Amino acid sequence: MGLKEYINDLKRAVEIIGRYDKVVLLHHNDADGLSSAAIIIEALKRAGIDVENIPLERVHPMIISKVIKRYDDLILFADLGAGAAPVISKINSGKNDIIIIDHHHTLRISDPKIINLSTELYGITGDREISASGAAYLFAKVLNGENKDLAYLAVVGAIGDSHHRFGMLESVNRVILNEAMELNQVRVEKVNGREKYYLTVFGGNIDLDKFAKSITTLGAVGYLMNGPDIGIKTLLNGPDETYSATLERLNRIKRERFEKVIRILREEGLRKTKYLQWFHVHEMFKPMGVKVIGEFCMEIRNADFIDKNMYLAGFQDMPKEIPKLGRFEWNLVKVSFRLPSAIERRVLAGEMPGYNYIVPKAAQHVKGDIDACHGYACATTFEKGLEEEFVKYFDKYVEEFVRSRKGT
């Protein structure tokens, strides 16, 4: 399996979409998810297909059930859904046609109503070779070759997912970058042996690291404040006064909340087991969405109060309100994981397990849902009050991996 087979299956998806006048698009709310949404919305709009988009932080069974019950249209998942494919199939029970365009770890399913187009099934890793927006861009080009002008959006998504963290974009990401450069949408500079990317499609030179981060801020910090739709509009039309004013307000909220929690962690420290260091912000990040707990973990992963040799996790209470879907009567927590630098090197070397190995196993014991999961970052949600039970099993499966490597 490879890129050729992936393109062939994208053609099958395009054939199915062509039967519909409307698509319901469920997508993640970070830079990669919003870039994926922007690509799909614009490509389908050009094809005369209406799109109703719903940004999501998590794919939870209650969310899937409400969407499937509400809509009879084709449902398209972007930058999420792959990890939850078996659950989606079970809840859907043959009702809707469903297409998943993703780059996360997944399981193969046999369901004639669902096409799971996670690149991981085709040997193209979503950890660094392709972003979800890269997969969405390939879909858009299969739909119509003239959609090549959307290449820059896939570059924004790849940068947002830190696929350049080893110095440069690689593999399929690289191919897409070259297409964006040919259209003078992106410029690349070499700085101290690493590549630096600039967005030129809107005029001027926009630092892509900063721009992608700003899109994630709109989608995550502003999740409950119309931020995702402002982010998609910005990606398609360029920064404007609404973007700037909203970003300034959201950054102020984010810094106030982050700095408060950093002070607490410096003073009180993190809770620790043999392998995991963790903390719980409860509702201290309100009114921000739960995507920000992962962003916060990323920000502090190499701070001086963090043990670089231990896994890192942060818990946050799930809000009961989901934009465009309404209220959910649940009592959930989300836990997000990131890798501090020293443990990241050991994971990449295969000495220690990645989160895609540990978290799904531990989550089973607390009935946690698994969707978007990489080796270097992952998340799950489950019933509040089961945090310590989950942590116990997290350590159990790390220990299991370590012992198996030692042959004991």
Side-chain angles (χ1 to χ4, degrees):
M1 299 291 276
L3 186 59
K4 182 179 178 181
E5 290 77 13
Y6 189 67
I7 297 295
N8 285 336
D9 283 349
L10 282 172
K11 291 177 182 177
R12 287 176 50 218
V14 166
E15 288 177 7
I16 292 171
I17 289 173
R19 304 171 194 163
Y20 289 85
D21 296 322
K22 179 185 174 183
V23 169
V24 177
L25 173 63
L26 308 180
H27 60 89
H28 204 195
N29 64 321
D30 63 0
D32 193 24
L34 297 183
S35 296
S36 301
I39 291 169
I40 293 167
I41 289 169
E42 183 64 19
L44 292 182
K45 175 185 172 184
R46 293 173 181 179
I49 299 171
D50 185 41
V51 180
E52 181 175 344
N53 75 297
I54 302 172
L56 295 177
E57 298 191 291
R58 302 291 304 159
V59 176
H60 189 274
M62 289 176 67
I63 292 175
I64 298 169
S65 296
K66 179 173 275 193
V67 170
I68 289 171
K69 184 177 180 180
R70 179 183 291 183
Y71 298 99
D72 294 321
D73 311 284
L74 183 143
I75 299 171
L76 201 161
F77 289 83
D79 196 26
L80 39 69
V87 176
I88 294 169
S89 176
K90 183 178 180 180
I91 295 172
N92 187 53
S93 297
K95 178 179 179 285
N96 293 64
D97 283 323
I98 294 175
I99 295 170
I100 300 170
I101 298 177
D102 204 349
H103 69 143
H104 292 101
H105 293 276
T106 187
L107 296 173
R108 292 187 183 277
I109 59 169
S110 179
D111 186 334
K113 297 293 284 186
I114 298 178
I115 300 180
N116 183 1
L117 292 168
S118 172
T119 61
E120 288 283 348
L121 293 174
Y122 299 80
I124 308 166
T125 176
D127 284 356
R128 61 192 291 183
E129 290 185 311
I130 190 169
S131 61
S133 52
Y137 172 66
L138 295 178
F139 159 78
K141 284 211 303 177
V142 170
L143 184 67
N144 189 326
E146 293 184 6
N147 288 325
K148 188 175 180 179
D149 64 328
L150 303 175
Y152 74 94
L153 292 165
V155 179
V156 176
I159 298 300
D161 257 18
S162 301
H163 282 196
H164 61 319
R165 64 189 180 281
F166 300 109
M168 61 187 291
L169 293 176
E170 306 168 19
S171 189
V172 182
N173 283 326
R174 192 78 195 175
V175 173
I176 298 171
L177 170 68
N178 288 337
E179 292 183 6
M181 291 173 64
E182 288 173 7
L183 295 174
N184 296 315
Q185 296 177 329
V186 176
R187 184 173 65 83
V188 182
E189 284 185 4
K190 271 286 184 72
V191 181
N192 298 323
R194 298 178 63 87
E195 288 187 345
K196 182 73 178 173
Y197 304 96
Y198 296 91
L199 195 63
T200 55
V201 67
F202 301 123
N205 289 281
I206 301 173
D207 184 318
L208 253 175
D209 283 292
K210 293 180 179 177
F211 183 68
K213 190 173 183 179
S214 76
I215 297 298
T216 291
T217 297
L218 289 169
V221 179
Y223 181 62
L224 302 172
M225 298 170 271
N226 198 40
D229 284 343
I230 295 172
I232 291 171
K233 181 183 176 184
T234 301
L235 285 162
L236 290 171
N237 302 321
D240 59 14
E241 290 183 7
T242 300
Y243 159 84
S244 300
T246 305
L247 189 63
E248 182 179 357
R249 178 168 58 90
L250 295 177
N251 275 327
R252 185 168 60 251
I253 293 170
K254 177 183 173 182
R255 284 272 41 101
E256 289 173 355
R257 305 299 192 277
F258 277 21
E259 287 170 9
K260 178 181 179 181
V261 174
I262 287 172
R263 284 196 301 271
I264 292 171
L265 294 180
R266 284 188 183 280
E267 293 170 3
E268 300 179 5
L270 285 74
R271 299 185 65 175
K272 294 184 179 181
T273 60
K274 184 175 181 179
Y275 296 105
L276 180 67
Q277 55 195 324
W278 61 282
F279 61 94
H280 204 316
V281 302
H282 298 284
E283 293 189 343
M284 285 187 282
F285 280 171
K286 285 182 70 175
M288 302 187 293
V290 292
K291 170 66 183 172
V292 295
I293 190 65
E295 297 300 306
F296 182 75
C297 286
M298 190 67 181
E299 180 169 317
I300 68 168
R301 70 188 183 109
N302 288 319
D304 56 10
F305 57 89
I306 296 295
D307 187 332
K308 314 301 186 299
N309 292 290
M310 297 185 74
Y311 295 96
L312 173 64
F315 291 83
Q316 181 181 350
D317 294 348
M318 280 277 291
K320 289 181 166 55
E321 195 74 22
I322 301 295
K324 303 185 182 183
L325 288 178
R327 186 173 177 83
F328 290 79
E329 294 304 327
W330 55 34
N331 189 30
L332 302 174
V333 293
K334 178 194 176 187
V335 55
S336 285
F337 301 85
R338 294 296 186 273
L339 291 172
S341 56
I343 190 76
E344 181 176 30
R345 287 192 290 271
R346 297 185 68 191
V347 168
L348 289 171
E351 297 172 12
M352 296 294 285
Y355 289 130
N356 59 303
Y357 172 87
I358 311 164
V359 178
K361 290 176 176 287
Q364 290 177 359
H365 296 278
V366 292
K367 298 182 179 178
D369 68 274
I370 291 294
D371 180 31
C373 208
H374 294 292
Y376 64 93
C378 192
T380 182
T381 57
F382 50 81
E383 196 73 18
K384 188 172 181 178
L386 297 175
E387 292 89 334
E388 292 191 25
E389 183 79 358
F390 173 83
V391 168
K392 178 182 75 174
Y393 282 104
F394 182 98
D395 262 31
K396 175 183 183 294
Y397 288 111
V398 177
E399 183 71 20
E400 180 183 274
F401 180 93
V402 172
R403 285 180 178 273
S404 69
R405 277 186 55 83
K406 292 179 179 178
T408 58

